[in-house]
Amino acid sequence: MSESFDPARWRPAPLLPATEARDGGLVFVVTVLCFLACLTALGVIAADRAARGWSGQLAGEATVIVRAKAGETPDAAAARAAETLAGVTGVVEARALEKEKAYDLVRPWLGDIADLEDLPVPRLVAITLDPRAPPNAEMLDKALKAQGLDAVVDDHSVWIKDIRRAADTVRWAGAAIFLLIAAAAGYVIAFATRAGLAARRDVVEVLHLSGADDGYIARLFQIRFAQLAAVAGLIGAVTAGIVGAALRLAGGGQGLTPALPVAWIDLLAVVPCPLLAAVVATVVAHRTALHLIRALQ
Amino acid sequence: MSRNPDISAASSANEDVVRFDNVSLRYGRGPEVLRGLSFALRPGSFHFITGPSGAGKSSLLKLVYLGARASGGGIRLFGQDLARLTADQRPAVRRRIGVVFQDLLLLDHLSAFDNAALPLRIRGARASEYRSDVAELLAWVGLGARMHAMPATLAGGEKQRLAIARAVVNRPDILLADEPTGNVDPDMALRIYRLFVELNRLGATVLIATHDQDMVARSGRPALHLDGGALTVRAPQGAAP
Ligand SMILES: Nc1ncnc2c1ncn2[C@@H]1O[C@H](COP(=O)(O)OP(=O)(O)OP(=O)(O)O)[C@@H](O)[C@H]1O
Ligand SMILES: [Mg+2]
């Protein structure tokens, strides 16, 4: 046994014992935190995409309600409105909807009336807008007024604003959750560093008395916990990536539901997780260890 | 080698490796363990510290290796006032001092080889530069066949020799040893003593705390005798072995 030891092939062993029983627990906790952080990121990205899709659709179209004035049939008024609107810059297409569409809208209130023709039901004009330079409601309104048309323009801005606000809320909530998780991970690592240092007082003391400076000793703990956090970050990220991929596959090409459209590219969001976890661990472990080592003297 | 080390307070402060001026020490709010110690060690000198158990031998060594701070008086090492050293400067001073601790302080998760190499590693040396030196030193203290052994599997005397190897591997300017021969047979004690003499000859200033009155008497070295917290210097007794 002793004969097999060849000093020429000797490599310095890690100054901190390689494995500690409680490391398993720490890896588990940090893994869970990283997993939750990745899911949060995926959720925020998906919500963002959904909001963008909806508001893009809404912004690309507008609806105009046209009421016929005395002496003009509703159909004629609608046709005139459509013609006018088509002439406004930024309007790609303006189309007077068939009267049935308008009846569909009032039917819930009026019931099935045989002779709808006699009622002055307003007509709808659907317009498609150039998404790069859409005209606003005011411009459309002005053009209609100029032709003496009694019409109300709905450019969906109320809905778009609502969606944007909801998307912002999701984004901020995501950021807050993210910070909370990072803080929790930092706290756990600080706690583990403290415990590790207490358990390895002998190493700290011997290194100290042998002339190692504080930074050298702190670095041992910092590297240990950075490696640990990187491994935990990797497991958490991969697990979250698998969950994301499952959502994507379950939802098909359109995503799971219109509310949570996960795209393959979104899965890249989990990639920085191991690095971020390692950075948090490095900073926290270094500061905690340095603080404790200085206090020991 | 210096057979007549100068312990006089009159020696020039700049030339002393260790200098205590009216030093006292108390642990926390406890009683004074050391009281008004004044002495100086010249470079290349060799002294024992003697005294009954609890007299403060380990405490005195602790002050020298910067393991405790004096509660009164002044200590100078290598001409530097320890009280004026910043936290950043202390490690460099510690690296010039080799210590055999009374409780050895070996790291039980490291092999004998790794334990012995520790001070070189801390100094930032590369393994390829010191591997063979460490192996040679371990062979020299009689641990050539136990280099990969873990401390828990070593006999008491082997542990002691390992601690000695670690203390001297860095060629320290000051070598402190606290009961270095407490666990070994007389033959090994003599070998260890000769190792210290050898290192002393190479320039190290040596200070050894011991209960072994025989070794002190036979060595022909002076002793700092502690009793009741106070220090008296005893001139060499008898002849060198
Ligand atoms: N860390 C400490 N905290 C409080 N008191 C201490 C501490 N270390 C030593 N003492 C006290 O200081 C006194 C001197 O102890 P020290 O260990 O220096 O004696 P010693 O001469 O080395 O004894 P021994 O020959 O048994 O090793 C003792 O009364 C001891 O109880
Ligand atoms: Mg002692």
Side-chain angles (χ1 to χ4, degrees), chain B residues 27-28 31 33-34 51-60 62 102 178-179 209 211 226:
Chain B
Y27 290 101
V33 173
L34 300 173
S53 184
K57 301 182 292 297
S58 299
S59 301
L60 194 162
K62 204 181 269 187
Q102 187 163 14
D178 202 346
E179 301 288 356
H211 282 121
L226 281 172

Side-chain angles (χ1 to χ4, degrees), chain A residues 61-67 85 125 127 129 135-145 150-157:
Chain A
E61 55 193 38
T63 315
V64 178
I65 302 167
V66 184
R67 279 184 294 259
L85 290 164
V125 177
I127 46 184
L129 306 173
N136 59 25
E138 243 175 277
M139 291 158 69
L140 298 174
D141 215 36
K142 233 162 81 190
L144 291 165
K145 289 262 155 54
D150 177 10
V152 180
V153 177
D154 174 9
D155 67 351
H156 306 157
S157 57

Side-chain angles (χ1 to χ4, degrees), chain A residues 94-165:
Chain A
R95 200 160 46 88
L97 298 183
E98 315 80 66
K99 56 191 169 200
E100 282 73 23
K101 282 259 163 79
Y103 295 153
D104 283 346
L105 289 176
V106 294
R107 188 164 291 125
W109 287 277
L110 301 181
D112 261 326
I113 297 173
D115 206 5
L116 276 169
E117 292 284 352
D118 297 341
L119 285 171
V121 175
R123 293 294 146 89
L124 297 176
V125 177
I127 46 184
T128 310
L129 306 173
D130 178 356
R132 279 157 307 180
N136 59 25
E138 243 175 277
M139 291 158 69
L140 298 174
D141 215 36
K142 233 162 81 190
L144 291 165
K145 289 262 155 54
Q147 295 299 316
L149 285 158
D150 177 10
V152 180
V153 177
D154 174 9
D155 67 351
H156 306 157
S157 57
V158 176
W159 305 112
I160 292 171
K161 220 182 282 169
D162 267 2
I163 290 170
R164 293 233 168 98
R165 200 167 41 226

Side-chain angles (χ1 to χ4, degrees), chain A residues 183-257:
Chain A
Y187 184 80
V188 168
I189 287 164
F191 197 77
T193 307
R194 206 164 307 207
L197 224 86
R200 281 296 154 194
R201 275 287 281 272
D202 57 339
V203 178
V204 174
E205 186 185 10
V206 170
L207 290 176
H208 206 243
L209 293 176
S210 303
D213 44 41
D214 299 346
Y216 183 97
I217 304 171
R219 222 149 26 239
L220 296 177
F221 289 91
Q222 167 192 332
I223 291 169
R224 142 75 49 94
F225 288 111
Q227 284 171 344
L228 231 135
V231 169
L234 191 67
I235 302 173
V238 167
T239 314
I242 290 171
V243 169
L247 283 178
R248 164 73 191 171
L249 289 174
Q254 303 302 308
L256 180 62
T257 69

Side-chain angles (χ1 to χ4, degrees), chain B residues 54-170:
Chain B
K57 301 182 292 297
S58 299
S59 301
L60 194 162
L61 291 178
K62 204 181 269 187
L63 288 173
V64 180
Y65 63 74
L66 283 69
R69 286 175 201 248
S71 39
I75 302 176
R76 300 179 79 87
L77 288 188
F78 311 112
Q80 290 172 284
D81 184 353
L82 293 191
R84 288 167 183 272
L85 287 183
T86 64
D88 293 345
Q89 293 169 325
R90 294 164 74 85
V93 174
R94 283 198 183 96
R95 287 196 286 270
R96 299 179 65 181
I97 305 169
V99 189
V100 182
F101 300 96
Q102 187 163 14
D103 40 8
L104 306 183
L105 297 183
L106 298 172
L107 294 180
D108 52 16
H109 63 284
L110 294 181
S111 68
F113 199 96
D114 274 294
N115 266 288
L118 191 67
L120 296 165
R121 202 167 156 181
I122 289 171
R123 204 180 64 185
R126 286 149 57 111
S128 58
E129 293 165 6
Y130 59 74
R131 272 197 288 243
S132 55
D133 293 350
V134 173
E136 197 177 320
L137 177 62
L138 285 173
W140 202 77
V141 296
L143 292 175
R146 311 291 327 253
M147 291 197 272
H148 72 293
M150 299 313 255
T153 68
L154 295 177
E158 289 177 322
K159 284 186 201 167
Q160 204 139 30
R161 283 177 274 148
L162 176 56
I164 291 165
R166 185 185 62 188
V168 304
V169 74
N170 209 10

